[in-house]
Amino acid sequence: MTNFISELKKFFTVPKNLLFMIGIPMIFTVFFGNVYRNDYLNTIPITVYDMDNSSLSRSLVEEFDKNPRYTVDFYSENLDEVKQAVESTQVYMGVVIPSDFEKDVKSKKSSKVALIVDATNMAVANNALASATEIISTVNAGVNLQFLEGKNVPPSLSKRYVNIFEMNNRTLWDPKLSYKYYVMPGMILVLVQQLFLSIFVVNVIEDKTNIFYKILIHTIISSLTFLICTSLLKHVLGINIIGNMLTSTFLSFMYLISLSSIALVLALSISSPLRATQLCMLLSVPSFLTAGYVWPVMKMPQLSVYIIKALWPLIYMIAPLRDYLIKGALPYYFKSNMLQMTVFAGIWFFIAFLISKKSRPCLDEED
């Protein structure tokens, strides 16, 4: 217990420990969370090339213009102008209405409205396409309704013919499909992970005594930081956190214990604090991109998944923890992930033990 108190005092007397493990995560949480404060991706700039200039084509353009998802920045005179506007990112989508559009529609000939979409930004492209499809489908249904009524079909029956079946959807937990629910929970865990690594690894390199207590203190502090950051998400940034905050904090603690196993290997293998810090920072992007958060694990090559799971534990926790925070429920595969993460920690702690025995005794006996 004396060693624990000693390590605790040592931790809190070093300003950089408090700054990097508590202060910076809080600042970054508010900063990054504020970037995604807007729930909807609205006023997407588009251009329209109307080759028909008929009543029907103008009504279609009007539907785009009054939809809050879009803003019609200008009208193109030819197809090259549309392409140029999209290529230069003046607009993110071009709507091209063919000539004889109204004539072909009324005569029940095939007529297609072309959408030219800039897909370099996935968020903008998905939102632009989804709303455009809804608008075109709505206008198409209206035209069919008018056609049937023109054939003296009663209005009530016309509506039944046009809407032979309807789709009702219920989007759970994030009906606005906003990025803050998708990005921020995982971003916080990665942020806590990287600052934990940077401080813990350097502290072990500089002082290889009382390692058990060092692990315990650093993981507890980082877990409490995770709790503070998730509280900021909920109470400051307005993200509806459904999961129990204490449970999610415990899950982050379990993850950090697992992470400390490979962090200990790094600390025992690298003698330079500067190089260790550089390596820890270098790991942030690849560990995040390969953890099944940006791209789902089920769509990764199986061999890649095995390699990632053997080298870094983030893949076991980041998506389940996000799901728990947002939905209040853990995914069906969580127990399997926890078991694998426990095995991961055991193996890497054993490797750290072998390294310490081979190079220099550094894992002290604890009282």
Side-chain angles (χ1 to χ4, degrees):
M1 194 62 178
T2 303
N3 289 338
F4 177 78
I5 298 298
S6 174
E7 286 297 326
L8 196 61
K9 288 180 179 179
K10 191 184 300 182
F11 179 89
F12 281 102
T13 53
V14 179
K16 72 171 184 179
N17 291 344
L18 302 176
L19 175 64
F20 281 88
M21 292 189 70
I22 301 176
I24 290 181
M26 293 171 59
I27 294 171
F28 277 20
T29 297
V30 174
F31 177 77
F32 287 124
N34 192 60
V35 171
Y36 299 104
R37 180 175 287 274
N38 291 329
D39 292 330
Y40 286 108
L41 185 57
N42 285 345
T43 62
I44 298 172
I46 66 173
T47 184
V48 173
Y49 176 31
D50 185 359
M51 290 186 280
D52 192 42
N53 197 26
S54 61
S55 175
L56 180 59
S57 68
R58 288 194 297 271
S59 67
L60 178 60
V61 174
E62 185 181 351
E63 289 298 317
F64 276 96
D65 199 22
K66 71 182 184 182
N67 191 301
R69 181 74 75 183
Y70 307 103
T71 174
V72 180
D73 272 14
F74 62 93
Y75 294 86
S76 298
E77 297 295 328
N78 52 61
L79 193 58
D80 288 337
E81 280 190 15
V82 177
K83 292 180 180 179
Q84 177 62 32
V86 175
E87 287 175 358
S88 62
T89 323
Q90 282 182 276
V91 298
Y92 284 96
M93 186 174 73
V95 180
V96 180
I97 303 173
S99 57
D100 296 327
F101 174 66
E102 184 176 50
K103 178 182 176 182
D104 290 342
V105 167
K106 288 184 175 180
S107 62
K108 287 299 177 180
K109 293 181 180 179
S110 176
S111 186
K112 296 181 179 180
V113 176
L115 300 175
I116 301 174
V117 183
D118 180 354
T120 54
N121 187 311
M122 181 180 64
V124 176
N126 286 341
N127 281 277
L129 274 175
S131 295
T133 302
E134 290 179 7
I135 290 171
I136 293 172
S137 298
T138 300
V139 173
N140 187 38
V143 171
N144 286 329
L145 187 63
Q146 290 178 359
F147 176 80
L148 291 172
E149 290 178 352
K151 297 293 184 180
N152 296 320
V153 179
S156 59
L157 192 57
S158 298
K159 291 179 180 179
R160 288 175 57 188
Y161 285 150
V162 170
N163 299 309
I164 296 177
F165 70 90
E166 295 181 356
M167 180 187 72
N168 291 324
N169 70 78
R170 184 184 177 193
T171 306
L172 302 176
W173 300 294
D174 184 17
K176 297 178 181 179
L177 300 177
S178 59
Y179 256 44
K180 65 182 181 183
Y181 284 88
Y182 174 65
V183 172
M184 288 309 300
M187 181 80 74
I188 287 176
L189 187 61
V190 172
L191 183 60
V192 170
Q193 164 194 273
Q194 292 310 123
L195 296 171
F196 168 86
L197 282 173
S198 300
I199 297 300
F200 174 74
V201 171
V202 170
N203 286 347
V204 173
I205 290 174
E206 294 175 346
D207 178 12
K208 294 184 173 60
T209 62
N210 300 320
I211 287 183
F212 173 77
Y213 291 133
K214 279 186 172 65
I215 292 174
L216 192 60
I217 290 169
H218 285 74
T219 51
I220 290 175
I221 297 298
S222 291
S223 299
L224 292 175
T225 300
F226 180 83
L227 173 61
I228 294 170
C229 291
T230 50
S231 298
L232 289 173
L233 288 185
K234 182 174 183 178
H235 299 293
V236 176
L237 299 171
I239 295 180
N240 186 25
I241 302 294
I242 297 176
N244 183 276
M245 304 287 277
L246 294 179
T247 302
S248 64
T249 302
F250 174 74
L251 294 177
S252 70
F253 174 78
M254 295 299 295
Y255 169 70
L256 290 166
I257 288 291
S258 176
L259 180 65
S260 64
S261 64
I262 194 166
L264 188 57
V265 171
L266 295 176
L268 297 174
S269 305
I270 303 172
S271 58
S272 168
L274 176 60
R275 290 185 179 179
T277 301
Q278 291 171 338
L279 177 60
C280 291
M281 290 294 103
L282 183 65
L283 291 170
S284 61
V285 174
S287 67
F288 181 61
L289 294 179
T290 59
Y293 198 84
V294 177
W295 187 251
V297 174
M298 63 181 179
K299 291 301 180 181
M300 294 181 183
Q302 198 60 48
L303 179 59
S304 298
V305 174
Y306 290 145
I307 294 173
I308 294 165
K309 286 186 172 183
L311 295 178
W312 208 257
L314 189 62
I315 192 171
Y316 300 116
M317 184 59 72
I318 188 169
L321 185 55
R322 184 265 318 274
D323 289 355
Y324 180 73
L325 286 171
I326 302 303
K327 300 195 294 186
L330 290 164
Y332 73 93
Y333 56 82
F334 178 71
K335 289 183 179 179
S336 173
N337 276 20
M338 283 297 291
L339 178 61
Q340 293 177 56
M341 192 172 72
T342 302
V343 173
F344 173 95
I347 292 173
W348 283 100
F349 273 130
F350 182 69
I351 293 173
F353 174 77
L354 294 179
I355 294 174
S356 69
K357 288 296 183 183
K358 183 177 180 180
S359 58
R360 54 195 179 277
C362 63
L363 295 173
D364 298 341
E365 291 291 327
E366 305 293 350
D367 294 335

